[in-house]
Amino acid sequence: MAKIGINIATGSLQQAEMIVGIDLGTTNSLVAIIHPETKKPVALKEHGTSSLVPSIIHFDDYGNASVGEEAKQYLETEPQNTIFSAKRLMGKSYNDVKNNANFFTYKVIDDNTDSLVKVQVGNQFYSPIELSSFILKELKQRAEHILKTPVTKAVITVPAYFNDSQRQATRDAGKLAGLDVLRIVNEPTAASLAYGLGLEKDDERTIAVYDLGGGTFDVSILKITNGIFEVLSTNGDTYLGGDDFDRLIIQHWLQEKGLTEEELHKDKQLAQTLRLIAEEAKKHLSSNEVFEYTLTSLIPNSLHLTTNDLRLSITDFNALIAPLIDKTITSCADALKDAELTTADIDTIVMVGGSTRVPAVRNAVSAFFGKEVNDSVNPDEVVALGAAIQADVLAGNNKDFLLLDITPLSLGLETMGGLMDVLIPRNSKIPTKVGRQYTTYKDGQSGMRISVFQGERDLVKDNRRLAEFNLTGIPGMPAGLPKVEVNFLINADGILVVTAKELRSGVEQSIEVKPQYGLTDAEVEQMLLDSITHAKSDIQTRALVEARTEGEQILTVTEKFLTKNAQHISKDEMLATAQAMQALQLAVTMEDKNLIQTKTEELNEVTRPFAERAMDAAISGAMKGKNIME
Ligand code: AMP
């Protein structure tokens, strides 16, 4: 996807980099782009290989990670070092997953049941965010290898039912992998986009997206109006998919021989081989009447299974999986009920996930909705292809689409030093909701001014003030302890509602703003042009303000720390600290960004040893948080 950009340092035109679409799946993941010549979405693959990368990570004895097909080989032989389905753990606490603890063959830590889960491999602990970032890093590297260009920007898809913390976790995983995640998109929305749905201006329709993958099933009912995708309802079963079909086939074969699953699992090698053959049988039956395993002879095994035993007709297969298909149809009915619709209201059905290749699945869905289903796009790739289309829209290549329902200018609020902190970037499609947490700057600060601005400049004084209000009544706490969550919500009518809530006390305040009010197209254009002309000086100013704010904060914190913890600090340390503080104070006064940064670092170096000895939670909080003006 070639995009023309403006080099903000020189003002010259430059070729900007690719924005890729990523489907980060439970079983498989992949990357897609809009082909620069055909302008059609394509999934990236190296010559002669599949576009799908198994979402599996293997750690060797030294903690080195491998991802994809290579890692998959270790599933049976090194289950404790081979992580699959990390997506199921995203944004979850142990309490959330304990009912399915048996599903995970690796160690999911259960000591602190309410905090986010960690996975233990050897003596290392990994968060699901880190695990997902390994997969994303692999996808990024692959894409860079194939495209021969750096890839740093991406759109990543998530299930429609993902909550805020799961979405944020996905975003963080992207960041950790070195990706700027421009947008998190719902998988059913991406799949619809891949079928071209919603890309026409006056396209209005209701869509059912049926997604049956390897391990999960979900159905979403979407309504598209004027390019806005609204999720009316979702339903499904996060532990139902094509892998269950494979399991039923194996059970069927064992039953025919009077064998049990326990007996099979004593022979790990055979269990793995049978699983692969069962999957092959299932896939074969998607376009044939009978499966007969004749290719090679079956390895010698204690169960005396022979190739003759591994036969399956389509009739038997359909009978085996009928109860599972029925379950998915019940979910479809429930999703419709929740959306207060009937099958007659559904205009289009979109099929997603490798398991929708099973004819009995397609027929059942089609029969339930009384309509043909859309299955012409590869169901394994359809979500990534749609993500690539969304990425293209964000890159500004799809102008018609951009005209619709987007925020013409960025929306954000004022943070310390008069900086603009953007919550909703310009060109965001609406409706949209973004939340971010802030904290206080001073001890005992009881109020916080929330000033909402619109524009592209780094300093709020150069942007347009839309609204302002005070969040009052924050109970007295040390600086950095209050957690103030500010939410920006733009509804389909373009009304911005800003809410601020102190999470510890529950104090809350909100305001309604019409963001475009009073701005003509020409004014919007002028504001954009200004932001380009002043970009260089803006960046410099922002860097200075940030360095200064950080420097000042560290001075305050250190001073407070010294008075409180004098008994932990030696005379020499006290002296060295006083000197370092003086040097930093001077740098701040001189407004020299580089000097401030160096002196901040030096002060940190000096205080680190005793700070570590006596650090208390309140102070660590104050050093981390972001601050809004009082
Ligand atoms: P996904 O999670 O969307 O990548 O889907 C993977 C699932 O689709 C696995 O259970 C595969 O066995 C299944 N699958 C892939 N191709 C076929 C096919 N031709 N027929 C039936 N199932 C398939």
Side-chain angles (χ1 to χ4, degrees), residues 289-331:
E289 297 284 305
V290 184
F291 170 80
E292 268 161 351
Y293 189 71
T294 51
L295 290 179
T296 53
S297 61
L298 199 58
I299 43 160
N301 62 80
S302 54
L303 302 189
H304 308 296
L305 277 174
T306 69
T307 53
N308 295 339
D309 299 323
L310 309 183
R311 193 183 174 283
L312 189 66
S313 72
I314 184 82
T315 322
D316 286 344
F317 176 58
N318 287 347
L320 284 177
I321 62 170
L324 297 188
I325 297 182
D326 286 350
K327 252 176 125 174
T328 70
I329 297 299
T330 307
S331 284

Side-chain angles (χ1 to χ4, degrees), residues 122-181:
N123 47 20
Q124 290 287 339
F125 296 87
Y126 299 96
S127 69
I129 295 176
E130 288 170 288
L131 294 169
S132 296
S133 83
F134 283 115
I135 300 170
L136 289 169
K137 244 183 253 167
E138 168 76 19
L139 295 174
K140 173 173 150 56
Q141 278 166 8
R142 260 174 190 244
E144 288 177 337
H145 186 71
I146 297 168
L147 298 169
K148 313 251 174 310
T149 170
V151 170
T152 58
K153 295 196 167 94
V155 167
I156 304 181
T157 57
V158 296
Y161 56 78
F162 256 29
N163 63 25
D164 272 356
S165 76
Q166 292 169 300
R167 284 165 198 265
Q168 190 54 45
T170 306
R171 206 176 256 286
D172 291 346
K175 213 187 213 171
L176 208 55
L179 290 168
D180 183 7
V181 182

Side-chain angles (χ1 to χ4, degrees), residues 601-612:
E601 201 31 55
E602 281 173 16
L603 176 58
N604 274 333
E605 281 300 316
V606 174
T607 56
R608 192 163 293 132
F610 59 81
E612 275 167 10

Side-chain angles (χ1 to χ4, degrees), residues 23 25-30 50 52 187 191 195 210-218 240-246 279 282-287 317 321 350-362 375 377-384:
D23 173 3
T26 309
T27 322
N28 294 304
S29 300
L30 71 155
S50 160
L52 302 183
E187 288 162 9
Y195 277 97
Y210 179 100
D211 183 345
L212 187 61
T216 61
F217 165 67
D218 61 85
L240 170 63
D243 300 347
D244 298 302
F245 295 180
D246 306 346
E279 188 178 8
K282 171 185 73 177
K283 290 183 179 174
H284 184 79
L285 291 175
S286 286
S287 43
F317 176 58
I321 62 170
V350 169
M351 301 298 263
V352 181
S355 302
T356 59
R357 291 204 183 87
V358 173
V361 169
R362 272 203 313 260
D375 58 3
V377 179
N378 180 338
D380 289 316
E381 295 181 348
V382 63
V383 167

Side-chain angles (χ1 to χ4, degrees), residues 337-463:
K337 203 153 63 182
D338 287 346
E340 296 178 2
L341 297 175
T342 67
T343 50
D345 297 313
I346 301 297
D347 303 304
T348 312
I349 304 144
V350 169
M351 301 298 263
V352 181
S355 302
T356 59
R357 291 204 183 87
V358 173
V361 169
R362 272 203 313 260
N363 294 340
V365 176
S366 177
F368 173 74
F369 286 104
K371 260 189 205 74
E372 287 290 301
V373 298
N374 282 282
D375 58 3
S376 57
V377 179
N378 180 338
D380 289 316
E381 295 181 348
V382 63
V383 167
L385 298 176
I389 295 173
Q390 175 73 61
D392 196 44
V393 169
L394 291 175
N397 295 336
N398 199 334
K399 287 284 182 319
D400 288 346
F401 197 40
L402 258 187
L403 295 176
L404 294 171
D405 299 301
I406 49 150
T407 54
L409 294 165
S410 301
L411 295 162
L413 42 87
E414 178 177 5
T415 51
M416 277 306 298
L419 287 180
M420 171 90 172
D421 195 22
V422 172
L423 276 95
I424 300 181
R426 96 187 182 82
N427 284 346
S428 294
K429 202 142 68 71
I430 58 174
T432 181
K433 181 174 175 238
V434 177
R436 199 168 288 170
Q437 275 189 16
Y438 298 87
T439 187
T440 48
Y441 184 53
K442 289 188 187 154
D443 286 344
Q445 187 176 326
S446 66
M448 213 181 234
R449 199 179 72 211
I450 310 286
S451 303
V452 184
F453 285 83
Q454 180 182 38
E456 307 312 306
R457 302 286 298 276
D458 277 346
L459 294 178
V460 291
K461 72 175 176 51
D462 300 315
N463 289 330

Side-chain angles (χ1 to χ4, degrees), residues 371-626:
K371 260 189 205 74
E372 287 290 301
V373 298
N374 282 282
D375 58 3
S376 57
V377 179
N378 180 338
D380 289 316
E381 295 181 348
V382 63
V383 167
L385 298 176
I389 295 173
Q390 175 73 61
D392 196 44
V393 169
L394 291 175
N397 295 336
N398 199 334
K399 287 284 182 319
D400 288 346
F401 197 40
L402 258 187
L403 295 176
L404 294 171
D405 299 301
I406 49 150
T407 54
L409 294 165
S410 301
L411 295 162
L413 42 87
E414 178 177 5
T415 51
M416 277 306 298
L419 287 180
M420 171 90 172
D421 195 22
V422 172
L423 276 95
I424 300 181
R426 96 187 182 82
N427 284 346
S428 294
K429 202 142 68 71
I430 58 174
T432 181
K433 181 174 175 238
V434 177
R436 199 168 288 170
Q437 275 189 16
Y438 298 87
T439 187
T440 48
Y441 184 53
K442 289 188 187 154
D443 286 344
Q445 187 176 326
S446 66
M448 213 181 234
R449 199 179 72 211
I450 310 286
S451 303
V452 184
F453 285 83
Q454 180 182 38
E456 307 312 306
R457 302 286 298 276
D458 277 346
L459 294 178
V460 291
K461 72 175 176 51
D462 300 315
N463 289 330
R464 191 165 186 259
R465 185 191 302 269
L466 292 178
E468 198 170 272
F469 65 96
N470 283 313
L471 178 67
T472 51
I474 303 174
M477 281 183 252
L481 260 200
K483 278 190 184 166
V484 176
E485 169 133 26
V486 178
N487 272 301
F488 275 33
L489 184 140
I490 308 183
N491 66 17
D493 299 318
I495 309 290
L496 168 71
V497 179
V498 179
T499 318
K501 183 176 183 181
E502 204 292 300
L503 299 179
R504 293 180 195 275
S505 58
V507 182
E508 189 173 356
Q509 203 105 32
S510 73
I511 197 167
E512 211 176 89
V513 196
K514 283 206 179 83
Q516 274 131 302
Y517 179 75
L519 275 188
T520 64
D521 284 354
E523 280 170 318
V524 170
E525 214 163 280
Q526 189 56 47
M527 288 176 84
L528 290 178
L529 270 178
D530 283 350
S531 75
I532 294 168
T533 329
H534 297 287
K536 198 174 170 188
S537 65
D538 270 10
I539 288 170
Q540 284 164 352
T541 317
R542 172 181 278 270
L544 172 63
V545 172
E546 278 175 354
R548 199 177 57 204
T549 308
E550 197 192 342
E552 283 171 345
Q553 236 178 308
I554 285 179
L555 282 171
T556 317
V557 170
T558 312
E559 205 170 296
K560 201 162 88 177
F561 189 83
L562 289 181
T563 10
K564 247 193 178 171
N565 299 282
Q567 75 276 21
H568 298 290
I569 307 165
S570 73
K571 227 178 177 171
D572 287 349
E573 283 173 332
M574 196 65 103
L575 195 68
T577 310
Q579 277 168 355
M581 285 176 74
Q582 217 168 35
L584 174 57
Q585 185 59 59
L586 189 66
V588 169
T589 320
M590 286 162 63
E591 304 217 316
D592 179 333
K593 187 201 86 185
N594 291 339
L595 195 63
I596 298 174
Q597 281 169 339
T598 318
K599 294 298 164 197
T600 304
E601 201 31 55
E602 281 173 16
L603 176 58
N604 274 333
E605 281 300 316
V606 174
T607 56
R608 192 163 293 132
F610 59 81
E612 275 167 10
R613 288 204 300 269
M615 179 78 81
D616 73 32
I619 288 168
S620 86
M623 286 171 116
K624 269 187 231 132
K626 234 177 193 172

